[in-house]
Amino acid sequence: MKEILVTGAAGFIGASTVNVLSEQGITVVGVDNMNDYYDVQLKEYRLSILEKNKNFRFYREDIEDIQSIRSVFKKHSFDAVINLAARAGVRYSQENPFVYMTTNAMGTLNLLELMREFSVKKIVLASTSSLYAGQPLPFSENLDVSTPISPYAATKKAAEVMAYTYHYLYGIDVSICRYFTVYGPAGRPDMSPFRFIKWVYEGTPITLYGDGTQSRDFTYIEDIANGTVAALQPVGYEIFNLGCADSPVTLNKMIEMIENYTGKKACIDYQPVQKSDMTETMADITKAKKILHWQPRINFEIGLKESVDWYLKNAEWASKIKV
């Protein structure tokens, strides 16, 4: 592949995916609306690094606006689209479900329609492990995910189904990547690894929903980016779990590790469990190993240490990021 469109290019997964593609000599066109769902400083930080790459071109556009995205398609000849633009976050989706629907569902539809119009035959679509709520562990791709428990998960499911329709009707090749709790340096400040590191570092009480025994299949950002790029291969229509597939890590354990890495003691403000939160996640990645020849390489101890080290190195400005 010579030229690929990556939406959400200034996002956490987007920026890392652009780097992987660029290292392979692929020209990347990035699109991002730079919205303020979380502190734009982080997106600008990632974008400033990406723009040093001569094989990267950036457009500040919104996938919800089909006409503006059509203008990007007219200027380029894409071999594939990697759609990482999304409204993320389970809890906020309950406060503003409409923006989740317009971005995650309608935005994906806009891209699929433009792919049909401009004869682009491959899409990699970001989805979520949140779809597996209530299902038995480990989560495998053949489980029933027809009962999402948050607007976020529901809109991601809508995007998956629409992608299947365009595969069936127009022959678009679709790889859906269901990500499991992605973390790493310069990560999203609305997610627990960044927030907990920041709060422990500055001595602010950690807001913890539940008793901390809930666990997550934390997956390092570089592993996720490599899996996303691996999913560019032709598969027809397939769904892939991208997770660490190791023993899930409890929030209590993560806090303990952050205390060790920072040398500071955490103060915890316990709050009631949120109804839309999952108790535990764990990926079955057998399919990704077999078809994509992908598996994670960074364990949580190393990945969290890298995340803490990045924060400490950039604390002068990172400590000012709103969470």
Side-chain angles (χ1 to χ4, degrees), residues 177-180 219 224 227-228 240-244 283 285 288 292 294:
C177 295
R178 289 179 179 164
Y179 299 134
F180 283 69
T219 315
I224 287 292
T228 301
F240 301 102
N241 287 336
L242 298 186
C244 191
I285 61 170
L292 303 181
W294 171 89

Side-chain angles (χ1 to χ4, degrees), residues 10-12 15 38 42-50 186-188:
F12 184 33
Y38 62 77
L42 264 176
K43 297 178 182 180
E44 292 173 343
Y45 165 80
R46 301 185 196 114
L47 187 58
S48 68
I49 296 173
L50 294 178
R188 279 172 41 197

Side-chain angles (χ1 to χ4, degrees), residues 7-8 31-37 43 61-66 69 83-89 92-93 96-112 123 125-126 151-152 154-160 162:
T7 68
V31 166
D32 200 302
N33 67 358
M34 304 294 284
N35 69 68
D36 61 356
Y37 166 67
K43 297 178 182 180
E61 304 289 358
D62 193 332
I63 64 170
E64 294 182 31
D65 184 349
I66 193 170
I69 301 300
N83 183 22
L84 302 173
R87 293 287 179 159
Y92 186 64
S93 72
N96 190 356
F98 299 99
V99 73
Y100 281 73
M101 195 67 183
T102 53
T103 298
N104 298 353
M106 287 300 300
T108 298
L109 174 58
N110 287 342
L111 291 169
L112 290 165
I123 186 170
L125 176 63
Y152 168 62
T155 56
K156 283 296 192 178
K157 177 61 176 176
E160 290 189 5
M162 187 60 71

Side-chain angles (χ1 to χ4, degrees), residues 45-61:
Y45 165 80
R46 301 185 196 114
L47 187 58
S48 68
I49 296 173
L50 294 178
E51 289 183 325
K52 295 176 183 177
N53 191 323
K54 64 180 181 180
N55 291 326
F56 176 71
R57 182 168 181 181
F58 180 72
Y59 295 91
R60 185 165 179 159
E61 304 289 358

Side-chain angles (χ1 to χ4, degrees), residues 6-24 26 28 30 32 38 42-43 45-47 49-51 53 56 82 84 179 182-188 219-230 232 294 298:
V6 176
T7 68
F12 184 33
I13 299 174
S16 189
T17 300
V18 170
N19 284 332
V20 172
L21 291 168
S22 298
E23 288 170 0
Q24 296 182 5
I26 296 172
V28 181
D32 200 302
Y38 62 77
L42 264 176
K43 297 178 182 180
Y45 165 80
R46 301 185 196 114
L47 187 58
I49 296 173
L50 294 178
E51 289 183 325
N53 191 323
F56 176 71
I82 300 179
L84 302 173
Y179 299 134
V182 188
Y183 75 101
R188 279 172 41 197
T219 315
Y220 194 62
I221 181 59
E222 289 182 9
D223 287 327
I224 287 292
N226 286 324
T228 301
V229 173
L232 282 166
W294 171 89
I298 306 299

Side-chain angles (χ1 to χ4, degrees), residues 161-194:
V161 174
M162 187 60 71
Y164 177 81
T165 301
Y166 273 70
H167 162 70
Y168 177 80
L169 291 176
Y170 308 115
I172 292 176
D173 195 278
V174 179
S175 294
I176 292 173
C177 295
R178 289 179 179 164
Y179 299 134
F180 283 69
T181 316
V182 188
Y183 75 101
R188 279 172 41 197
D190 61 316
M191 295 186 69
S192 59
F194 188 104

